Each structure stands twice: as structure tokens, then as C-alpha cells.
Amino acid sequence: MPCTVVVGGFWGDEGKGKIVSYMALKDKVDVCVRVGSVNAAHTVCFEGKRYALHMVPSCFVYEKCRLLIGAGANVHVAKFLEEVELTNVKSRIGVDRQVSIIEEKHAEQDRTSAHLRGIGTTGWGVGPAIEERVRRTAKLAKDIPELQPYLTDVALEVNNAIDSGKKVILEGTQGLMLSLFHGTYPYVTGRDTSASAVCSEAGVGPTKVDEVLVVFKSFMTRVGAGPLPGEIPKEEAVKRGWFEIAAGTGRERRSAPFNFEIAKRAIMVNGATQLALTKLDALYPECKGVRRYDDLPKGAKNFVAEVERQLGVPVVLIGTGPDVLDIIDRRT
Ligand code: IMP
Ligand code: MG
């Protein structure tokens, strides 16, 4: 804080929604900008309800937070309107005029292109929508009647907020290993997912950022095709309690143990100043619901210490269960 960029360090699904929503409540975040697109689902478990958000920023849980979708994003209009209704944020969410629009024809292109099918895309058509934007033929938010009440200048709003000392989160999507530039190409998403790209999509210069928080899960998962170093068979993942079904697509996630070399790379490319480690309770079931570091079992403390020793960045937030408040907060 005041301006923190939150990004994923692996292949997405590290638990960014949980970390961002916790910070919203705990730090009373004033402004949250989401970037990316509808392919990413951020899970937020709040007051007994589970949300899988494709468009609305995860800070919606703090009712005073201004919610924004940055100019670099691609908005799916129907999904946006559905989630605005679901989360009841109509009066406090804004969309940049220059956001580009993802349409049914883009999803169709994702589904019918053999190349894209081979990559195992989420099927929303994000790659084709970005292609259309690059050709300079895309529709923008300002062209869409249903979006008129939400239009704003996100870069101006967020820079004004930062300049007046307000607390801001830039909420990235997916993870570095899915980056078009830095990931496992061609098995990647259609855009860069690094902290720099998040700033660029939001319209915030690098000198305005105070913290870059990289989120890692305590083990790795990926959906779709492409390499996953150390991958274990599904039966083994089930046995270990690592087996997951994707919130967004319902697809089964592949899994592998935490990989320090990949994590080091994510820290370097993102310029990490802080780390969050989620699902520690999947490695150490006794951790479930623990909210004080001192109450962690010895094995779990050793794992956290090993992460900090090998990666050289402090682990400030630790997830110990699905609820937004199942967190150990080690920030001063
Ligand atoms: P696309 O982003 O839909 O084009 O899919 C490209 C690759 O990125 C596929 O392997 C997807 O499974 C993966 N991917 C895209 N978004 C997410 C996400 O939010 N979480 C996990 N994987 C994702
Ligand atoms: Mg997800």
C-alpha cells in the first residue's frame, strides 16, 4: 500500500481473489482496478457465499471501495452486467471508455480454431478479441449502449487516487507462466500477465507502484495443455488433497509440487516485494483455519521459512482456508 499490484506467480488459480478481497476488508482499500478479461475466474468466499468473478474486481467485498476495469481489459458485456447485479455494485463500478469488447463471435473463433483448441483455451474468445483489437476494428466500451452508465476515465481516476494518498490495488489475472511474453509459449493466454502489464492495462506508470505482491499456491496447478514440471498423476493429487476443479470452466486442474525455480523467475520478472502463499492447509491439514503464525505446526513454519530463504522475499500473507478471513497476516 498505497499502490499494490497483485499478480499470480504460476499458471493462475493461485488464490488472487482471496488475497485481494482480504486486503480490501483489512486495509480498507479505496480503489481496485481489474485488468485482463473474462477467461479468469477469481474466487471470493465471503459471508457464507462463494463468488467466481470473471469481471468484477475482488475488492467488491469492501462496500466503500471504488471498482474499476482498466483500459487494457476486454469486457464481456453480459457477464459484466450479470456480476454487477450479483454483487450489487452498480453505484460504484466504472469501466474505461477504451476497454475493448469481447463478443460471441470471438468465442466461436476460439472453439473452431484447431490451433486454439490444441492450447486448451477457456473458450471465451479472449485471444481472438485481442487480435481484433490489434487490427483496430474492435468495438470499445463507449460504443455499447448498456455500458454508458459505467463509462469513466480509469487512468485519470486511479492516478488521482494514488496522488491523493488513497489505497489502491491493481488486480492482475492468471499467472506469469501463462504470459504471452514470459510464459510457456504457445501454451499461454493472449496477453502479458506480468506486474508491468497490469500497470500498463490500468494506466499507471511504474514509478507510482509501492508494492508488487506475487501470489503462489503451496503447490502448482494448471488447466489446459502445456508443460507442468513435476506433474503428479490425478490419483496421487486426489490422495494428497491437491485435486481441484476450475472455478471458471469446471475443468480438472493438473497439479505438481511447489517449484522454486519457477517461483524465482516469477519474482524476478514481476519485481516482487512481497509474497502471499495460499492453501497452506493443503500441505499441512492441521493449518486449516489458523489465523496466527505462532499457531502453525512446525512443518508448516519450516515450509514458509524455506520459501523465504530460497526466494529472498517475505511471505506476508498465508492462506489457511477458503474464507476471505482464513489468513495469517504478517505485515506490521
Ligand atoms: P485463453 O486465455 O482462454 O486463451 O486460454 C489459454 C490458456 O490459458 C489455457 O491453458 C487456459 O486454460 C489458460 N487460462 C486462461 N485463463 C486462466 C485462468 O484464469 N486460470 C487458469 N488458467 C487460465
Ligand atoms: Mg481462477
Side-chain angles (χ1 to χ4, degrees):
M1 291 289 155
C3 179
T4 300
V5 183
V6 179
V7 288
F10 289 142
W11 282 269
D13 308 316
E14 300 92 353
K16 291 174 293 297
K18 179 202 167 77
I19 295 296
V20 169
S21 56
Y22 169 79
M23 292 168 78
L25 291 171
K26 175 74 184 177
D27 302 340
K28 301 192 169 23
V29 170
D30 297 293
V31 178
C32 180
V33 187
R34 180 165 165 164
V35 299
S37 191
V38 65
N39 46 359
H42 288 185
T43 301
V44 176
C45 297
F46 177 58
E47 294 181 338
K49 264 194 179 161
R50 188 171 183 277
Y51 302 83
L53 299 171
H54 294 259
M55 292 266 90
V56 167
S58 301
C59 282
F60 86 92
V61 295
Y62 176 54
E63 73 283 356
K64 289 188 185 144
C65 186
R66 171 75 167 149
L67 309 171
L68 297 168
I69 299 185
N74 283 273
V75 162
H76 187 288
V77 179
K79 197 75 190 162
F80 171 80
L81 296 171
E82 177 195 314
E83 289 186 359
V84 166
E85 192 73 31
L86 178 76
T87 54
N88 192 24
V89 295
K90 191 165 184 190
S91 60
R92 58 187 174 103
I93 190 163
V95 175
D96 193 274
R97 287 185 183 80
Q98 296 241 87
V99 149
S100 68
I101 301 301
I102 178 164
E103 298 172 80
E104 183 47 39
K105 67 176 179 190
H106 300 127
E108 187 64 31
Q109 286 160 21
D110 234 357
R111 283 194 293 266
T112 52
S113 155
H115 168 67
L116 287 172
R117 277 207 313 275
I119 286 166
T121 73
T122 60
W124 283 96
V126 174
I130 293 171
E131 276 180 62
E132 178 152 30
R133 189 175 196 169
V134 173
R135 281 199 301 273
R136 267 81 28 110
T137 53
K139 280 190 191 131
L140 300 182
K142 66 181 168 60
D143 306 320
I144 308 296
E146 299 96 302
L147 293 181
Q148 298 304 308
Y150 303 99
L151 296 185
T152 187
D153 180 338
V154 169
L156 184 67
E157 272 202 49
V158 67
N159 280 282
N160 282 344
I162 294 170
D163 293 346
S164 56
K166 293 195 169 154
K167 291 179 180 166
V168 173
I169 287 184
L170 308 183
E171 180 180 2
T173 58
Q174 297 133 329
L176 190 74
M177 289 300 117
L178 285 175
S179 163
L180 181 64
F181 302 157
H182 304 288
T184 51
Y185 190 91
Y187 301 102
V188 293
T189 192
R191 49 183 278 282
D192 183 19
T193 53
S194 69
S196 311
V198 173
C199 294
S200 161
E201 291 191 22
V204 173
T207 53
K208 297 273 183 89
V209 172
D210 300 282
E211 304 281 359
V212 175
L213 193 160
V214 176
V215 184
F216 293 116
K217 195 152 60 183
S218 298
F219 55 99
M220 306 192 298
T221 57
R222 85 174 289 174
V223 284
L228 178 61
E231 181 168 3
I232 59 171
K234 178 180 164 182
E235 310 75 66
E236 179 60 23
V238 172
K239 231 193 284 169
R240 294 189 192 183
W242 295 4
F243 180 66
E244 297 177 343
I245 308 256
T249 54
R251 291 186 298 174
E252 295 185 354
R253 291 183 183 150
R254 301 153 56 198
S255 55
F258 192 97
N259 183 304
F260 285 96
E261 294 316 307
I262 292 171
K264 279 178 196 164
R265 181 106 196 144
I267 283 167
M268 177 181 76
V269 174
N270 285 306
T273 60
Q274 300 180 321
L275 305 182
L277 197 55
T278 60
K279 286 211 162 185
L280 191 60
D281 56 305
L283 296 197
Y284 305 94
E286 322 88 272
C287 293
K288 193 157 187 70
V290 169
R291 295 181 185 184
R292 278 167 31 110
Y293 186 76
D294 288 346
D295 295 341
L296 286 179
K298 194 153 191 297
K301 280 184 184 156
N302 288 345
F303 179 66
V304 174
E306 182 64 7
V307 168
E308 291 188 324
R309 191 185 67 77
Q310 288 215 36
L311 304 181
V313 181
V315 174
V316 296
L317 297 171
I318 300 170
T320 56
D323 190 84
V324 64
L325 298 175
D326 288 333
I327 288 248
I328 295 168
D329 190 343
R330 303 172 79 205
R331 300 172 301 170
T332 44

